Amino acid sequence: MIATVITLIARRLLAAIPILLIVSALLFCLLRTLPVDPAAMSLPPNATIAEIEAKRREMGLDRPLPEQYVIWLHGALHGDLGQSIQLRRPAGSLVTATLPATIQLAVAAMVIAGALGFGGGLLLFHLRGTMLEPVADLVSILLLSIPEFLWGLILLFVFGVLLRALPFTGEVAPGLPVPHISGFLLIDSLLIGHPDVFYSACRHLVLPATALGLAFSPTIMRVLRSSLFDVYHEEYIQQARLRGLSERQVLLGHALKNAALPTLTLAGVQFGILFSGTLLVEVIYSYPGMGNLMVDAVRNADLPLIQAIGLTYCIVVLLINTAVDSLYLVLNPKLRVR
Amino acid sequence: MKGPLAHSLRSPKVLIALSMIFCIATCAIFAGAVAPHEPGEQNLLAILTPPEWMPGGDPNYPLGTDSLGRCVLSRLIYGARTAMLVAFFASLGAMIIGSVLAHISGYFGGAVDWVIGRLVDIWMSFPPVILSLILMVGLGIGLGKVILAIILVDWTRFCRVLRSEVLVVTRHEYVAAARLLGFTHRQTIVREVLPATLPLLITLLSLEMAIAVVVEAILSFVGLGVSADQPAWGQMIADARQYVYQSPSNLLLPIAAICFTVMAFNLLGDGLRRSLDVRLMETGH
Amino acid sequence: MAAALQACDLVVDARIGDALVPVIRDLSFELQAGKILGLIGESGAGKSMVGRAVAQLLPQGFAITAGALFFEGKDLLKMPPAHRRFLLGRAIGFIPQAPLTALNPVLTIGAQFDEHLARLGCTSSRERRQSAVAMLEAARLPRPSDLLRCYPHQLSGGMCQRVLIAMAFASDPRLVIADEPTTALDVTLHAPIIRLIADMQRRHRTAVLFITHDLRLAAQICDDVIVMYAGRAVESGPARAVLSNPAHPYTRCLQLANPSMQGDCRALYVMPEQMPSLRQLAGMSGCHFAPRCPLAMEDCQRVAPPDQTIAPGRRAACLHVATTPSIAAKAPAAMAASAAARPVLALEGVHKRYIVRAGLLGTARIVTAVKNASFSIRENEFVALVGESGSGKSTIARLLVGLEQPDAGRILLNGEDVGSASARNHDLRTKSLQMVFQDPYSALNPRRRIASIVTQAMEAGSRHADWDQRLARTRDLLAEVGLPSDLATRFPHQLSGGQRQRINIARALCTLPTVLIADEIVSGLDVSIQAQLLNLLARLRAELGFAMLFISHDLSAVRFLCSRVLVMYRGEIVEEGPTETVFADPRHSHTRALVSSVPPDNPEAPWPAFDVAQPTV
């Protein structure tokens, strides 16, 4: 069993290599064909044409595109993702500095989305055939219609501006020490023994994570409900009842595990999208993650940085997909072929 | 003939959704006649006035003004035009590309299916928000560019979902029967497969319109959407965010407009999905 | 001592629109402890509802509205639900119809057995394991301790059914309800599974309610039978007496509609139309069988016949019981197949392999579906291809019509090789080869009207027949297959299964092909509908003259229709010859197994495959 999962992960990661190569090549070509000159942008505005030309040669921009890509790829494989034009720091180190904060936010949001989605799905299923069913159905469609950035703004307005109950800018209250050990603030604050930092970080995480979680829970909710509906039409549910099992035992012992499978597949896709959804939430809450960095890079046409962050998002999505597939393999015996 | 589409008109969900969409579409089409002001018309003497019914409200500006003294109601109405244009053309474009590839892929299978499948995989390894942002960097801002970016990002959504439906339909014996009766592949796809996938296609189209509205709002919110002189809900939100303490209604109104529109399309999609559920029809229950 | 199960004037109603229609009407019976009672009837007769009524797990819209159902003297319908649930799985066991889907796919056999035994009150998990092994062993499953670690999808349908039988008898129940326990299984498994149920029943002295559509099977296993038609018990009594000498016309007709495996090949008795649907039932008075009954008199339409005793222990609901034995089938249709005719379709050394990828890991396996198949079909000849599911029969059909291409070998149509997938070959095949598909639901496009389906060939390719021409052709074809012409404007979902299958045949006949490939076209249908179709095919052969490859697992249908038979086993054609010779003297062990799997026509005759004394395999 463990061997099959490891084989799956290994295969998935191997299959990811060509995908990443193609994605990086596409990204590279797309960004190089832009009417933006990185050489000119990386020099002061009063630079001469000759200076720009020299810089172009130095950056390798005068060579043919495939060659440029090979040079970039060579650098990338050695950990050099280029220099940010705007911030004048290595793009790689900028990504590694902001990625933990984004992961922290995404994981918190996934937990919230999963819990809300699962609970809501069970509730929706429980209400089937009652007077409340159409109401619950309508509410779930309404929830489905509010994307994460609107949730971000609504929560910010209600809990931040109106009630002043929770902070809504940054990762931690200003003035508190920000440790840098693993990069994950929640972990680091405990490592250095600063519970006040931990508490403040938690409070700062509540609104953005909830906004993201709320936006992604309705899909999980609705899929769990319809999967449960499908499963209840299956013969083995009837057979379990005929063996005298109670409705509760049928639901928890037989139906839920089967209904979880299609729900999980969808949740996997959703979590991939959720990870990129951090971008807008980070912008709204001025949260110092990769999303904010990306938006700045996009606004300033900072090509090396866009390339680095874009690729990072792809890698994370591929990893999430691999993780979900392995979990699926563990839960679905039909896929475990001897 | 009582087709499934006519049948779906009896679903209350579809009816509610269609009337909501009708309201938005009317505003979008007749924006010039409905809106009290030009959307770009500034009145620097009336900046950030609250809505009419609030203390200090100006009857000239029913929903108040923004930081440049522009009429919020008029901008909302013209914003609907932008949103609807994007929703309509972007989802139509994505649908055409996605569904053509899906039918080819699912019907023929084999190597064609493999190639299209990998193409979709590569595309989908890019989170949609990130891909559309990068595309906007490449394409530059503007209404047409937003539409193009959404088409280039979202065709995969149609392709993936429709392909599995095409696979299900193609497995039906009547599709094989059509081939045996002498139908060409093109005839089989158009006359036997497409009518069966059409309900799902329409449903997806409706859901895609909801997504397109959101993506347009996101891009405008970040400042990479339509050009600055074109009113868009996302832009209004971004502006109002700076003055959230002075004028919360400026933030909440465009949010409500987006939610209303997205809800209308989602409701339509959900209603259509249920009333067009082909599997229910085929077994005759 | 009270009967294990006793029904008194049981009524089950279904809600159709605003009306309540009785699905079961005034059903009364008594099942004594240790006996087997058979409930026989075609689909829609209401027999499965009786089983569901015991557990009170009726489908939505169905409800028990009157009568009583006693389990050992206690009324199940008046019992509190918790009390009834306590009995389920303990005192009352159930054996389902579709064993593969009746086990939870994500739990191991062990986990499901364990859950059941834990509920029965066995607290030690070691003990539960031991008794599970013992019970699986008693169900004659090989290596039971390994089996406990398996998931249902790793087991065959027969093994799943044995597991479910073991579970049903695990609690030493007083009553077991078996709902068509062999219908979903291959024919060679019928006898062993039935034998297992009979064995367990004897060992535990359990009462069994055995629900089946198969009269011959019921004659072998049941002590008593009840024949049901449209929600009513039309006849009841000791199994052998009822089935060797039916008193009700329906029982008699049903028997005559079933093609026989022994003696002369007789014609099939064809009952007209079909059992009334729930909707039609709502407005019916008199005897429900009267519209199809050959003996129906004027009074049958008016008076609902009372259930009367006709002999000690035998009851029948018919006003004219005395005339029943006069029902007889017409003379058999002539078998026309001259040996001199030239072959129209031939296979020469055809191989077909598939690469199967299973699971997320995508481990590829090569499966040989057809191995070195060679045979030919002559003009106007009906050849049968028999074998179990998965033996490669359907692959041969798909190869012949060009939906798949062979890896090796030739497919000759009128002497020309049409094996490859070129456009020319496709045209050649379309002209002279047509296929009647297996599933009457999936084979007809639900969005086309019947006229459009039947004449679909007239819009294919560059052909553009005008609508009048197509309507005229539709009328001819519908008449040909015995359907009224007003069906032309209907949609498939408005038709019954038997009618759909006729449309399916009509569509294949539209271009007047010389060869028809028919893939299991009568398997899912009721006996009376099957008889209609078999007779129709025999008549069409005489009228239109075409050859047919009749793929089936039903040997008696094959014997009725086909002059030559091919037996397929694991991708190979293992035996071939004239039908009578092959069935009378099977050479290959698999053919022998197939032939012996059919219960004898005569209820008194022994069925060698179902001999309880026989050593277990």
Side-chain angles (χ1 to χ4, degrees):
Chain A
M1 166 95 165
I2 294 167
T4 23
V5 172
I6 289 172
T7 323
L8 174 88
I9 293 175
R11 280 201 192 191
R12 273 299 144 90
L13 295 182
L14 273 179
I17 291 172
I19 292 187
L20 281 177
L21 280 178
I22 297 172
V23 163
S24 64
L26 283 175
L27 209 54
F28 192 85
C29 295
L30 181 74
L31 294 175
R32 280 302 179 275
T33 50
L34 292 188
V36 188
D37 188 351
M41 284 180 68
S42 56
L43 290 171
N46 55 2
T48 61
I49 306 276
E51 276 172 328
I52 294 177
E53 273 307 308
K55 186 76 186 171
R56 280 182 69 85
R57 264 195 302 282
E58 185 199 319
M59 292 173 81
L61 293 173
D62 54 339
R63 301 187 204 187
L65 202 58
E67 207 183 319
Q68 286 187 41
Y69 174 65
V70 172
I71 293 170
W72 177 86
L73 190 65
H74 184 263
L77 290 177
H78 291 81
D80 175 17
L81 288 166
Q83 192 83 5
S84 159
I85 297 169
Q86 195 68 25
L87 302 167
R88 301 186 189 279
R89 281 177 57 192
S93 69
L94 284 169
V95 168
T96 43
T98 50
L99 185 60
T102 299
I103 291 179
Q104 191 172 291
L105 172 60
V107 169
M110 283 175 200
V111 172
I112 293 173
L116 284 177
F118 215 73
L122 283 179
L123 183 69
L124 280 179
F125 183 71
H126 187 72
L127 292 175
R128 70 190 189 280
T130 64
M131 302 267 283
L132 282 174
E133 191 186 7
V135 180
D137 191 41
L138 221 60
V139 170
S140 78
I141 293 181
L142 176 67
L143 291 181
L144 195 67
S145 305
I146 305 178
E148 69 274 13
F149 89 106
L150 293 190
W151 271 125
L153 291 164
I154 294 169
L155 293 185
L156 180 144
F157 180 73
V158 174
F159 292 97
V161 176
L162 223 54
L163 302 176
R164 295 172 196 264
L166 286 162
F168 57 87
T169 40
E171 195 181 16
V172 70
L176 286 173
V178 179
H180 285 288
I181 303 171
S182 64
F184 295 95
L185 188 55
L186 289 183
I187 298 173
D188 290 352
S189 58
L190 290 179
L191 283 178
I192 58 159
H194 269 291
D196 52 332
V197 178
F198 179 78
Y199 177 70
S200 169
C202 280
R203 278 172 53 88
H204 277 79
L205 200 57
V206 170
L207 285 183
T210 310
L212 260 177
L214 273 173
F216 285 91
S217 60
T219 330
I220 300 174
M221 230 181 254
R222 290 170 67 85
V223 170
L224 180 65
R225 177 185 62 165
S226 65
S227 308
L228 277 169
F229 272 128
D230 290 347
V231 168
Y232 266 73
H233 283 117
E234 296 283 342
E235 189 65 32
Y236 53 80
I237 295 296
Q238 187 77 353
Q239 195 62 26
R241 286 190 183 130
L242 290 175
R243 275 203 302 272
L245 298 185
S246 66
E247 282 306 305
R248 201 185 149 78
Q249 286 167 319
V250 168
L251 176 68
L252 298 179
H254 290 267
L256 207 52
K257 210 175 166 193
N258 282 286
L261 288 175
T263 314
L264 186 70
T265 320
L266 178 106
V269 178
Q270 287 293 305
F271 284 166
I273 303 174
L274 182 147
F275 187 77
S276 70
T278 53
L279 185 136
L280 288 154
V281 174
E282 284 177 13
V283 171
I284 289 165
Y285 290 97
S286 316
Y287 187 87
M290 206 166 63
N292 249 325
L293 192 67
M294 176 73 168
V295 171
D296 283 341
V298 162
R299 282 186 179 138
N300 297 318
D302 191 343
L303 302 188
L305 195 52
I306 295 178
Q307 170 113 22
I309 300 175
L311 214 53
T312 310
Y313 273 112
C314 282
I315 292 172
V316 175
V317 169
L318 285 171
L319 287 178
I320 291 177
N321 289 347
T322 309
V324 170
D325 279 352
S326 333
L327 193 57
Y328 195 69
L329 189 71
V330 173
L331 289 180
N332 191 352
K334 275 194 188 176
L335 296 174
R336 267 180 263 141
V337 183
R338 295 136 294 160
Chain B
M1 172 184 163
K2 274 189 295 174
L5 275 177
H7 173 77
S8 72
L9 281 181
R10 274 184 285 162
S11 145
K13 260 188 201 168
V14 173
L15 283 179
I16 295 173
L18 283 179
S19 36
M20 285 164 81
I21 293 170
F22 179 78
C23 291
I24 309 163
T26 312
C27 287
I29 295 167
F30 303 107
V34 180
H37 296 269
E38 280 298 309
E41 186 189 307
Q42 299 183 3
N43 181 357
L44 293 176
L45 297 173
I47 287 172
L48 293 175
T49 54
E52 198 184 330
W53 62 87
M54 305 259 287
D58 182 346
N60 216 353
Y61 300 104
L63 294 179
T65 57
D66 67 3
S67 58
L68 293 173
R70 295 176 295 192
C71 171
V72 169
L73 177 63
S74 306
R75 289 183 67 75
L76 277 178
I77 291 170
Y78 276 92
R81 179 179 277 186
T82 310
M84 290 305 256
L85 279 174
V86 171
F88 186 73
F89 287 107
S91 52
L92 204 66
M95 181 199 82
I96 291 170
I97 298 179
S99 56
V100 167
L101 288 178
H103 279 85
I104 293 173
S105 178
Y107 178 81
F108 289 105
V112 187
D113 188 29
W114 189 88
V115 170
I116 295 177
R118 294 298 80 72
L119 194 64
V120 171
D121 275 355
I122 290 172
W123 228 263
M124 305 258 304
S125 65
F126 255 119
V129 176
I130 307 299
L131 184 56
S132 47
L133 273 181
I134 293 174
L135 283 173
M136 287 312 288
V137 176
L139 298 167
I141 58 168
L143 184 66
K145 313 283 175 56
V146 171
I147 292 173
L148 187 60
I150 295 176
I151 293 176
L152 288 178
V153 173
D154 276 352
W155 66 271
T156 51
R157 215 185 284 269
F158 281 90
C159 192
R160 216 172 46 111
V161 180
L162 271 174
R163 179 189 163 271
S164 33
E165 180 76 5
V166 171
L167 277 183
V168 172
V169 173
T170 307
R171 241 176 264 138
H172 276 123
E173 287 172 343
Y174 67 78
V175 176
R179 276 293 287 158
L180 299 187
L181 293 167
F183 272 39
T184 61
H185 287 304
R186 207 178 64 91
Q187 281 177 326
T188 314
I189 293 177
V190 173
R191 295 189 203 165
E192 304 290 299
V193 180
L194 187 62
T197 53
L198 203 58
L200 179 65
L201 205 129
I202 294 171
T203 308
L204 285 178
L205 187 69
S206 162
L207 297 176
E208 178 61 31
M209 289 190 181
I211 292 167
V213 169
V214 173
V215 174
E216 188 268 320
I218 289 176
L219 291 177
S220 303
F221 175 73
V222 183
L224 282 168
V226 296
S227 56
D229 54 347
Q230 197 154 15
W233 293 335
Q235 264 175 5
M236 296 174 69
I237 294 175
D239 289 344
R241 225 182 114 218
Q242 335 254 332
Y243 307 96
V244 63
Y245 287 103
Q246 292 97 316
S247 174
S249 71
N250 281 5
L251 179 71
L252 295 179
L253 286 169
I255 290 181
I258 297 174
C259 288
F260 183 79
T261 315
V262 173
M263 168 119 183
F265 286 125
N266 277 339
L267 203 58
L268 180 67
D270 193 70
L272 286 176
R273 186 174 58 81
R274 294 207 186 168
S275 48
L276 295 180
D277 201 334
V278 193
R279 259 149 282 178
L280 293 177
M281 220 175 76
E282 273 175 12
T283 47
H285 293 306
Chain C
M1 188 183 151
L5 185 67
Q6 188 187 1
C8 296
D9 298 321
L10 189 70
V11 178
V12 175
D13 279 329
R15 181 167 287 283
I16 301 277
D18 292 329
L20 278 181
V21 181
V23 186
I24 294 177
R25 200 174 288 195
D26 303 329
L27 182 70
S28 300
F29 62 80
E30 228 172 83
L31 169 56
Q32 296 301 336
K35 295 282 182 195
I36 303 184
L37 172 67
L39 274 184
I40 315 176
E42 295 178 278
S43 55
K47 54 193 191 314
S48 290
M49 285 304 149
V50 181
R52 285 166 157 249
V54 172
Q56 290 216 16
L57 289 171
L58 294 165
Q60 227 174 9
F62 289 70
I64 302 167
T65 44
L69 202 52
F70 296 102
F71 173 71
E72 299 189 327
K74 288 164 295 215
D75 191 346
L76 285 166
L77 307 181
K78 295 212 175 77
M79 223 176 248
H83 198 155
R84 189 175 51 239
R85 195 162 63 72
F86 182 84
L87 291 175
L88 295 182
R90 275 198 186 86
I92 306 175
F94 287 85
I95 301 171
Q97 188 175 122
L100 275 173
T101 54
L103 288 165
N104 191 335
V106 299
L107 299 177
T108 58
I109 302 297
Q112 301 188 45
F113 228 107
D114 192 70
E115 177 197 49
H116 185 50
L117 293 176
R119 181 176 171 266
L120 295 179
C122 182
T123 45
S124 139
S125 75
R126 234 173 63 86
E127 257 172 55
R128 287 202 297 266
R129 213 187 112 76
Q130 279 167 354
S131 48
V133 169
M135 281 159 189
L136 292 178
E137 211 149 48
R140 290 167 213 151
L141 279 156
R143 290 184 292 138
S145 46
D146 292 344
L147 203 67
L148 289 178
R149 282 196 296 274
C150 287
Y151 286 94
H153 73 274
Q154 295 168 312
L155 272 54
S156 68
M159 288 166 92
C160 283
Q161 192 60 295
R162 286 175 191 272
V163 169
L164 285 156
I165 291 171
M167 260 181 171
F169 284 97
S171 52
D172 209 357
R174 269 101 72 199
L175 170 68
V176 162
I177 295 168
D179 189 354
E180 304 255 17
T182 57
T183 309
L185 302 174
D186 270 326
V187 279
T188 48
L189 288 173
H190 289 192
I193 291 292
I194 296 296
R195 192 169 71 210
L196 178 64
I197 294 176
D199 247 14
M200 295 288 237
Q201 179 264 340
R202 233 163 282 187
R203 189 178 314 163
H204 298 270
R205 297 212 30 83
T206 314
V208 173
L209 186 65
F210 191 82
I211 299 166
T212 182
H213 66 276
D214 191 333
L215 275 73
R216 290 186 283 213
L217 202 60
Q220 292 294 329
I221 186 173
C222 298
D223 298 301
D224 297 288
V225 291
I226 298 171
V227 182
M228 292 189 71
Y229 185 82
R232 300 192 103 186
V234 291
E235 179 166 8
S236 61
R240 296 195 172 183
V242 168
L243 296 168
S244 50
N245 189 17
H248 194 279
Y250 175 64
T251 320
R252 173 91 181 143
C253 289
L254 208 54
Q255 252 182 349
L256 291 173
N258 222 345
S260 73
M261 277 298 282
Q262 286 96 24
D264 290 335
C265 203
R266 55 170 169 77
L268 303 182
Y269 183 80
V270 174
M271 282 178 264
E273 300 180 39
Q274 60 205 2
M275 195 186 304
S277 66
L278 285 180
R279 233 169 262 279
Q280 291 165 322
L281 215 52
M284 260 176 110
S285 59
C287 174
H288 289 168
F289 185 58
R292 303 175 76 190
C293 181
L295 307 172
M297 309 267 191
E298 178 268 336
D299 52 348
C300 294
Q301 317 278 356
R302 275 185 292 112
V303 190
D307 193 16
Q308 51 198 344
T309 307
I310 49 164
R314 289 193 61 179
R315 302 170 74 82
C318 179
L319 296 171
H320 309 283
V321 180
T323 50
T324 300
S326 70
I327 302 173
K330 280 172 245 141
M335 286 263 202
S338 71
R342 72 184 174 92
V344 281
L345 185 65
L347 255 74
E348 285 182 3
V350 165
H351 285 266
K352 181 70 192 175
R353 283 182 296 271
Y354 292 106
I355 297 172
V356 180
R357 283 181 194 282
L360 273 180
L361 289 177
T363 358
R365 261 182 329 131
I366 292 178
V367 177
T368 306
V370 175
K371 211 186 292 175
N372 196 20
S374 302
F375 64 85
S376 65
I377 302 172
R378 288 190 291 272
E379 271 180 323
N380 214 15
E381 184 189 29
F382 277 23
V383 177
L385 183 60
V386 300
E388 298 196 303
S389 56
S391 61
K393 294 174 300 185
S394 292
T395 309
I396 292 226
R398 295 178 67 82
L399 287 169
L400 284 173
V401 296
L403 291 172
E404 310 266 357
Q405 277 70 47
D407 295 321
R410 300 199 300 164
I411 297 171
L412 300 173
L413 182 61
N414 296 316
E416 266 189 276
D417 187 359
V418 293
S420 66
S422 71
R424 201 185 85 89
N425 286 346
H426 183 68
D427 284 348
L428 278 177
R429 272 202 220 91
T430 310
K431 279 199 194 88
S432 40
L433 201 63
Q434 277 304 326
M435 178 150 169
V436 185
F437 286 89
Q438 177 172 9
D439 177 0
Y441 290 87
S442 152
L444 307 181
N445 187 341
R447 280 161 216 83
R448 281 177 181 265
R449 286 171 200 278
I450 297 305
S452 160
I453 290 173
V454 168
T455 60
Q456 206 179 337
M458 297 167 84
E459 61 169 273
S462 49
R463 275 165 271 171
H464 300 288
D466 65 50
W467 195 239
D468 288 338
Q469 271 176 305
R470 290 181 67 171
L471 274 181
R473 184 84 184 107
T474 306
R475 272 193 293 276
D476 292 348
L477 284 166
L478 288 181
E480 205 82 78
V481 295
L483 289 175
S485 59
D486 60 322
L487 290 188
T489 52
R490 305 266 182 89
F491 284 99
H493 66 87
Q494 293 166 303
L495 270 55
S496 69
Q499 285 175 322
R500 282 161 173 256
Q501 206 57 298
R502 284 166 190 252
I503 297 295
N504 206 350
I505 294 170
R507 171 176 63 186
L509 292 175
C510 180
T511 50
L512 294 173
T514 46
V515 190
L516 272 190
I517 316 286
D519 190 0
E520 299 273 14
I521 59 170
V522 294
S523 32
L525 302 170
D526 277 318
V527 176
S528 64
I529 307 297
Q530 180 185 320
Q532 292 172 359
L533 282 173
L534 291 175
N535 262 11
L536 171 71
L537 287 172
R539 178 170 63 77
L540 288 173
R541 166 171 53 182
E543 285 175 16
L544 303 174
F546 52 84
M548 181 160 77
L549 181 68
F550 184 76
I551 298 172
S552 179
H553 64 263
D554 184 345
L555 296 197
S556 45
V558 163
R559 183 167 181 259
F560 172 77
L561 203 60
C562 301
S563 51
R564 209 148 55 82
V565 63
L566 309 159
V567 182
M568 216 170 166
Y569 182 60
R570 297 192 177 165
E572 279 182 280
I573 294 176
V574 294
E575 190 158 359
E576 179 183 357
T579 312
E580 290 301 327
T581 326
V582 171
F583 286 0
D585 182 20
R587 291 294 156 92
H588 192 270
S589 59
H590 184 66
T591 320
R592 274 200 294 279
L594 282 175
V595 171
S596 67
S597 68
V598 185
D601 285 345
N602 182 356
E604 312 282 356
W607 181 20
F610 174 67
D611 189 347
V612 201
Q614 203 175 280
T616 57
V617 185

